[in-house]
Amino acid sequence: MYLLLAALLLASVVVVVALIAHVVGKITKREAALSAIPEFNARKHWLFGHWQTFIDPKIHQYVAEQAPLLGPIFRMRVADAVICLVTDPVEINKIFCRGPDMMDKEEVAYSPFNLIHWGPPTTNIVSMKTDDQWKLLRKGLSPCFSSTNMKTAMPVIQSISSKILDQIDAAGPTKAFDMLDTARRVTAEAIGQWGFKRSFGGEDLSKPNYLVKLINQMFTAMHCLWMNPLWGVSLLISKEARMHRTNTRAYDDYMAGVTRELQARPLGELPSDCIAGALMRVTQPSGEALSFHQLKSNVAIVIAAGFETSASAITSAVLSLIQHPTKLTRLEEELDAFGLLKTLRRPEPRAVEWDDLGRMFYLNAVIKETLRLYPPASLGSMRATNKPTTLCGYDVPAGTFLLVPGCALDRSTAVYGEDADEFRPDRWLSRSSDIGGKDGAGITWAGTGAYDDEDAGSGADQASTASVKGRLKEPIAFSMGPRDCVGQALARLDAQVFLAMLFSRFRVSLAPGMGSPEEIWSKTAYHVTLAMPDGLWLCMEAR
């Protein structure tokens, strides 16, 4: 018996050693092929590479700090995957291009977005490759975010914002509110009431909101557990890892309830141009309806991505304006010029209207500048080379992961000048149409998030529109190319409406104990999206 156990143990050791040797050989080969490219300067494990740094909540700061030192392309390794980070505004055209040279998402890189789903292995619109199922999902969801449809979302966002701001007003100027929680409630209810024809209970500030809590926990779990290549081992030895798994399951259970509720409703109650109605009408390539788990996986990711990124951008915009009082004064002057600012001579200003949004250039510039400096998805999006490619003068083999980090590219002095780290909304007021953008800082709605049958590889429109003459048309917060964020129009609208209403009604200041804006920025953490772990507590005095 002992000899048998010893033999089994020895065989196990041999298998493990052989497996490690195979992995190390593969890693060595991949790193050798990219050895000419500068390497990220951080602690590196012989087997797992830079994974500890990659899942560090400060990864966005590390990347932004090292990018100017390492150049327009540098590499890091996470387990056996070598990732090239590209911050050259011209070269990203190759990464985000369309047609036969399109670089697709790699499902392995997006697997954490699948691990939040419990049930049969299922991908979703964020994690799946650009296959026929993705095209059907994108084509079904895109009309929801047209400019015509955004007009129907605007009064919903206004109503939600008004109810929440009324409660803040009633509480008085000494009561502190967490702007991050407030923004999450507004954006969660917006996607709920407008997109899913139901409330998630976020309008009542007197009690915690369960969905907001669940998504915050789920994103933390995704970053701290599911992005860890040793997550299986962590579950065996770490109590914290098991807590993250429990939190993930709680979010999945909630989304299962939302999905069952959708399936139980008559389809006629869900118009095809609302998110829920669109998802219910999407089919598999075979023509069959989406399975319960396929539907649940997409409902879960659309809801989470649909409000968390918007809330992050709103919160960052508020803190930026508090940090720069002269910029806030400029915004107040614009609101006053439009008749939206509450003053002694105008105690009941008019409500913001749809036609105001495209003409409020400074508000739009503030939003763009916030997205540039503090992109919610700060590490950007991942692609993989589909054939040997040359980037920034280096040969990059097929199958290499490419990451375009907004936290570095959108702070590039080569793109934005020596003041790239400064919050200066005016830079968007002076950008002209010579780079193909819109004059001034107006938000372009036409085509935002739109689906094009040419997007996924027919050969038309092979040139990307990410940048022209080395200048970016927009911050890359919502990614670019055929796999950009389908719901970015709603995110922008959330920010436009809520910020206009907030600053029209209130004077805002940091609550006692929050510290300086610089201290708050230094504590920001990256858990799939950029967030302030302690919140952003403000006192809001009615005008």
Side-chain angles (χ1 to χ4, degrees), residues 301-426:
I301 200 65
V302 167
I303 289 176
F307 88 80
E308 179 61 22
T309 52
S310 303
S312 173
I314 289 171
T315 307
S316 294
V318 172
L319 180 56
S320 296
L321 290 166
I322 292 173
Q323 184 180 11
H324 300 89
T326 58
K327 310 297 192 295
L328 177 54
T329 298
R330 281 281 302 279
L331 177 59
E332 291 170 337
E333 290 172 349
E334 181 173 76
L335 293 171
D336 191 24
F338 275 78
L340 303 174
L341 190 73
K342 184 178 180 182
T343 63
L344 290 176
R345 60 183 174 78
R346 192 192 300 119
E348 294 186 11
R350 69 177 181 84
V352 62
E353 299 174 355
W354 175 263
D355 289 342
D356 297 328
L357 301 181
R359 298 183 295 121
M360 297 177 69
F361 296 132
Y362 198 75
L363 171 63
N364 293 328
V366 165
I367 295 170
K368 287 186 178 183
E369 188 71 345
T370 300
L371 291 172
R372 183 184 74 83
L373 288 173
Y374 310 106
S378 293
L379 288 188
S381 53
M382 190 94 71
R383 300 291 186 270
T385 54
N386 55 5
K387 60 183 179 181
T389 305
T390 300
L391 287 172
C392 303
Y394 296 98
D395 293 330
V396 179
T400 302
F401 289 173
L402 302 175
L403 186 63
V404 181
C407 59
L409 176 57
D410 273 329
R411 287 176 177 260
S412 169
T413 56
V415 180
Y416 293 101
E418 294 304 316
D419 64 350
D421 283 333
E422 296 180 17
F423 181 77
R424 192 171 68 81
D426 296 74

Side-chain angles (χ1 to χ4, degrees), residues 155-211:
V156 177
I157 300 170
Q158 286 177 296
S159 175
I160 295 164
S161 300
S162 181
K163 290 176 183 177
I164 287 177
L165 293 176
D166 284 348
Q167 294 171 69
I168 293 174
D169 192 355
T174 60
K175 171 72 173 177
F177 289 89
D178 179 8
M179 179 50 61
L180 179 56
D181 177 72
T182 301
R184 283 170 170 167
R185 289 168 178 270
V186 170
T187 55
E189 282 302 293
I191 199 168
Q193 294 184 28
W194 172 77
F196 284 82
K197 307 305 178 185
R198 56 158 293 167
S199 172
F200 291 122
E203 291 180 335
D204 185 357
L205 296 184
S206 67
K207 55 186 179 183
N209 181 254
Y210 187 55
L211 177 60

Side-chain angles (χ1 to χ4, degrees), residues 36-53:
I37 297 176
E39 186 174 36
F40 189 72
N41 182 22
R43 183 175 57 178
K44 182 181 179 183
H45 189 273
W46 66 274
L47 182 59
F48 302 112
H50 300 98
W51 74 268
Q52 284 186 305
T53 302

